Amino acid sequence: MALPSQDPDADGTQDAAAPQAPAPDPGTAAAVAAAEAAGLGAGETVRIDSWVWAVRLVKTRSLGATACRGGHVHVNGERVKPAYSVRVGDEVRLRHEGRERVVIVKRLIRKRVGAPVAAQCYIDNSPPPPPRAAVAPVGIRDRGTGRPTKRDRRELERLRGLGTPDAPGAPDVPDTGRRRPGR
């Protein structure tokens, strides 16, 4: 006998206490259905470089292969080569662009899919990304403004803290009493 909270009432509605999953986006649901239809058959495997590209952890497959060859991809704690066959349930650690991604494989796909579908192919256990700097980068010039003048260069050096010893506000540099040759 089923529990009353799971059994539909006489009018066909469920009890209000039962949690209901949110309805998926129709476009995402269609993309997931298409990905499952083109999915792998039983016993087929996927290369790790192809999988990390297909689920959008890297931009290109060659970047995935390069990361594997460079030792930046670990599956279940072991360094792997690009041709390693990944399986459902494997833990994949990828160091890319200064960030470490830790994912658990939920679904194997060979072809690159949209971001919402790709996010359903793994469980993301990655640490949060470092916060971006709140200040704008110092010393970035607009493109096409030409070569900096001597005044512009001095202002850039002052902003970067690389001022010349004679400039006001420059850091104190001990005078050794020696002059550079040629002066």
Side-chain angles (χ1 to χ4, degrees):
M1 180 171 188
L3 296 172
S5 64
Q6 294 174 345
D7 196 22
D9 292 337
D11 61 351
T13 61
Q14 281 200 338
D15 190 30
Q20 295 185 5
D25 179 34
T28 304
V32 169
E36 287 176 354
L40 303 175
E44 290 189 53
T45 60
V46 178
R47 292 171 53 114
I48 185 68
D49 61 340
S50 178
W51 187 82
V52 297
W53 166 73
V55 296
R56 298 176 169 264
L57 294 178
V58 293
K59 219 175 229 188
T60 64
R61 182 172 171 187
S62 63
L63 277 177
T66 303
C68 291
R69 281 193 295 274
H72 300 289
V73 178
H74 291 78
V75 177
N76 298 328
E78 295 183 25
R79 269 179 69 173
V80 293
K81 293 183 178 180
Y84 181 85
S85 295
V86 69
R87 293 183 292 269
V88 174
D90 284 347
E91 179 191 60
V92 177
R93 289 180 175 267
L94 169 73
R95 250 186 7 252
H96 182 64
E97 295 179 350
R99 182 172 177 215
E100 184 175 22
R101 302 289 306 266
V102 180
V103 297
I104 309 267
V105 179
K106 277 177 46 178
R107 183 184 305 156
L108 297 178
I109 57 172
R110 186 171 285 138
K111 295 196 175 194
R112 194 167 171 100
V113 293
V117 179
Q120 295 179 359
C121 295
Y122 59 86
I123 301 168
D124 196 357
N125 294 334
S126 304
R132 292 184 177 211
V135 293
V138 177
I140 302 293
R141 291 178 49 86
D142 292 331
R143 188 175 175 99
T145 57
R147 187 171 171 178
T149 62
K150 189 179 246 187
R151 180 179 177 189
D152 292 338
R153 181 184 53 81
R154 287 182 179 148
E155 288 177 4
L156 288 172
E157 288 177 352
R158 183 183 52 81
L159 288 172
R160 290 180 181 154
L162 303 174
T164 58
D166 298 336
D172 291 331
V173 177
D175 185 20
T176 60
R178 298 186 320 188
R179 297 181 57 102
R180 291 192 320 212
R183 280 198 157 185

